[in-house]
Amino acid sequence: QKEVEQNSGPLSVPEGAIASLNCTYSDRGSQSFFWYRQYSGKSPELIMSIYSNGDKEDGRFTAQLNKASQYVSLLIRDSQPSDSATYLCAVIIQGGKLIFGQGTELSVKP
Amino acid sequence: EPEVTQTPSHQVTQMGQEVILRCVPISNHLYFYWYRQILGQKVEFLVSFYNNEISEKSEIFDDQFSVERPDGSNFTLKIRSTKLEDSAMYFCASSVQGSTDTQYFGPGTRLTVL
């Protein structure tokens, strides 16, 4: 069974702080990794994709990938109350099948 | 910006009835997917579809489920005889390419089986 594991949280940070979200995956053959944001009752919304080891930055978001450790993380700098949501780590395995973690609930306090 | 659309947004049905959930993928995308999310649980893969064929399906996607691309724009999920446990959010997604590409999700259909 291919798995993606995340801390469910909730993770609470003050406004302006850095939020750090972590994820591990079990399939060593995975090549594509994604972070989605999901507000309550809504669909997953893509934040970042990452395919190579190292860091990838997009605005306030930085994704980090370490394939040797089977570890993906997402850093959110200057966190805002509007960032409060559930963050889903997802990994593509064979056939384009996207496997999701259970999500980490982030709360940014003003 | 192009987006995936889904109809209806909410479907209520009686147990044992057939339902069809509809999706319009992004127009230049070639790969289509259905996922579901039971309240409070993970998003789960159901099926992937390419070139008018199922590419992959999960163990959830049993004989009660079927998918179809009836024309050049729509992609449908049919549940033949709904069960209480089919109550969930159903998300359609699409991607340009299959095995590694980003999947973009529609807003979802909330299915309630009574």
Side-chain angles (χ1 to χ4, degrees):
Chain A
Q1 181 90 354
K2 311 297 184 186
E3 296 283 345
V4 176
E5 298 288 340
Q6 296 180 251
N7 292 328
S8 58
L11 173 65
S12 183
V13 300
E15 184 175 356
I18 295 175
S20 177
L21 305 161
N22 304 311
C23 169
T24 59
Y25 61 94
S26 63
D27 184 7
R28 282 200 170 274
S30 299
Q31 298 296 320
S32 305
F33 308 87
F34 305 89
W35 285 98
Y36 287 85
R37 177 172 60 196
Q38 187 177 35
Y39 294 109
S40 181
K42 302 296 185 182
S43 64
E45 172 194 6
L46 179 73
I47 298 175
M48 296 275 289
S49 61
I50 186 166
Y51 301 92
S52 304
N53 279 328
D55 295 359
K56 179 181 177 182
E57 188 174 318
D58 184 1
R60 295 186 296 113
F61 299 95
T62 299
Q64 299 173 317
L65 173 61
N66 184 327
K67 290 184 181 179
S69 301
Q70 295 175 242
Y71 177 86
V72 193
S73 67
L74 180 71
L75 298 177
I76 307 174
R77 288 181 299 281
D78 188 24
S79 295
Q80 301 296 308
S82 57
D83 294 328
S84 298
T86 297
Y87 289 80
L88 308 178
C89 175
V91 175
I92 287 185
I93 61 173
Q94 82 280 356
K97 187 174 176 178
L98 195 56
I99 302 299
F100 284 86
Q102 68 270 35
T104 298
E105 184 183 347
L106 173 66
S107 176
V108 181
K109 304 293 188 187
Chain B
E1 185 174 321
E3 55 185 24
V4 178
T5 60
Q6 291 185 243
T7 55
S9 57
H10 190 189
Q11 174 92 48
V12 181
T13 190
Q14 295 290 326
M15 191 169 55
Q17 295 297 303
E18 175 183 287
V19 295
I20 297 176
L21 310 182
R22 302 181 192 279
C23 169
V24 178
I26 295 172
S27 62
N28 65 330
H29 287 192
L30 301 177
Y31 292 79
F32 315 120
Y33 312 86
W34 284 101
Y35 293 81
R36 80 171 186 190
Q37 187 176 30
I38 295 170
L39 188 63
Q41 297 188 22
K42 291 185 187 185
V43 177
E44 300 174 288
F45 171 84
L46 292 178
V47 67
S48 59
F49 190 86
Y50 169 70
N51 199 25
N52 282 318
E53 291 185 347
I54 290 175
S55 305
E56 290 279 338
K57 60 182 181 179
S58 71
E59 59 276 8
I60 303 168
F61 195 88
D62 61 20
D63 292 344
Q64 295 299 314
F65 291 89
S66 62
V67 289
E68 190 179 30
R69 186 152 164 85
D71 53 44
S73 59
N74 290 284
F75 179 51
T76 62
L77 174 69
K78 181 191 290 185
I79 310 175
R80 262 179 272 282
S81 178
T82 50
K83 306 181 185 72
L84 296 176
E85 54 266 35
D86 293 328
S87 294
M89 282 287 284
Y90 287 81
F91 297 113
C92 174
S94 68
S95 66
V96 176
Q97 299 178 32
S99 58
T100 60
D101 204 17
T102 300
Q103 296 178 24
Y104 295 92
F105 283 72
T109 294
R110 179 172 300 284
L111 177 65
T112 302
V113 182
L114 302 176

